[in-house]
Amino acid sequence: MSVEVRFPPHRQAPEAVMTIGGVRLLTTVILTLVGSSVAPVAVATETAAVSLTSVVPAPVLATPATGVTYQITATTTIYTEPGSPAAAEIAGQLGAILRRSTGYPMPIVDAPSGTPADGIALLLSGAPAGVGNEGYQLDASSTSIAVRANQPAGLFAGVQTLRQLLPPAVESATAQPGPWEVAGGRIVDYPRFAHRGAMLDVARHFLPVSVVKRYIDEIALYKVNRLHLHLSDDQGWRIAVNTWPNLAVYGGSTQVGGGTGGYYTHDEYQQIVAYAAARYVMIVPEIDMPGHTNAALASYAELNCDGVAPKLYTGTKVGFSSLCVSKEITYTFIDQVLGEIAALTPGPYLHLGGDEASSTTASDYATFMNRVQQIVAAHGKTVVGWHDIVNAPTLPSTVAQYWGTSTANAAVATAAQHGTKIVMSPANRSYLDMKYNSRTRLGQRWAGFIDVQDAYGWNPGAYLTGVGEASVLGVEAPLWTETIETVADVEYMAFPRLPAIAELGWSPTSTHDWTSFSQRLGAQGPRWRVMGINYYHSTQVSWPTAS
Ligand code: TNX
């Protein structure tokens, strides 16, 4: 029998063409091909080194080489693709992690031609074309590790996998004893969806730059490539706008519960954008409108239909505020605000919110959303809106983010059938602010309790009736912060559910299996402990002792 693995152009599991007795069978690779020299497996096999099949999100294909182990030692060199500053930066990131925890020098040098010995090579050549722009191939032999990708994003993803193949102590901030072994074999891997997102609501409670950076590091480890920042809401405006300075200075001066709030200066926002970009995470900024705008309305009386500024708001109600749809100054305001944010944001998207506009009439909502989408387009950006936006005329490029709790939404299905792309964030599956259960101290319960099996147990490509895989741009896990105040709170709600959503976004459906996932997730516990991540020890997962 021979096995040849093929990579379809996108979003599908690789297919194995098996030739048995001259008959060619085409099958999707799912589990072990018994008796074959190539054995793609989805279930962990125990070896001394961390198993190749323990990675989260599950790789497309993992082929252990039995009995082969690579070991990082004091003489290990990191080789990087010559002439690629991006590869050199990724090598630098890997080197920094390894230097801290191994205590070894880990020099970084240009890769020579040919296969380097005793080294870890990050190469922009030799990857299968089928792994695309974000995929990679990782080969571990007894003498070398080679991560090969077509683009730097793929190298970065491969390095995140390599981190997980090393013992948890590799994440330590201080030198540890080792040994630093990697199980031999090959991983070939690429994402199912383009959009693998997380969202932070920095409006209800302000989160400083340091917390956002830490979260970027945490999500990037799970191959999440979008961070949506909810930058404005009734309770606070969180980004400086030079043309409307009171937005941040006054509108940003409080938060839920009445704390002092805060906002990002342009320089700080750009620091976040750059930090994210170096981890292959795109920032998607959201200015919510026409509802969720009390902080703006309180900052500028002229934005109100009656010309009277409301008080700042520190409660948690929704749906009571609206920009004045009939006033021309509203559109000047939006044009100037979005113009500044567009100029600071390299990514293609501006998120307009558009949710829960219950103080705006349906016809005003349609008029307003129609006009603001043109404003975004004039700034060269693509609109994202919460799925309520499909109740207005949408541009063909507008992306709708589904946040409902039902598996049927006729308006969203119709939009999808007309070509609108959908980001899936069903509130009863992906909302990281929902409580795990009735005993969870933090969070809300309006969309139900979500333990990690609920977060994992759905298929984004077949969840909403009439919204098939081809209409789905990806998934996103939002964290609303009405009850969330600190980095420890953020981590408690995000871990372990964020990695579940990340896996739905990255891994092919053929790998979807709760038993396998819960085992692989449990293996992350000791890593999170070393990293100081305050995670929820869900009883649905068996966590190794002392993690
Ligand atoms: C609904 S989801 C909201 C937010 C709240 C969240 C709390 C959505 C688009 N709007 O305003 O923060 O529920 O779970």
Side-chain angles (χ1 to χ4, degrees), residues 201 204 230 233 288 292 318 355-356 386 388 403 427 431 433-434 444 446 480-482:
D201 168 10
R204 269 49 177 275
H230 183 76
D233 213 304
D288 205 346
H292 291 279
V318 297
D355 56 314
E356 300 174 317
W386 295 106
D388 318 45
W403 62 278
Y431 268 33
D433 63 315
M434 290 303 126
Q444 309 212 48
W446 69 264
W480 301 98
T481 58
E482 286 92 337

Side-chain angles (χ1 to χ4, degrees), residues 524-547:
Q524 304 299 304
R527 274 166 217 285
W528 298 340
R529 188 183 167 89
V530 172
M531 295 168 86
I533 294 179
N534 177 40
Y535 69 100
Y536 167 61
H537 288 65
S538 167
T539 55
Q540 297 181 332
V541 175
S542 75
W543 306 100
T545 27
S547 70

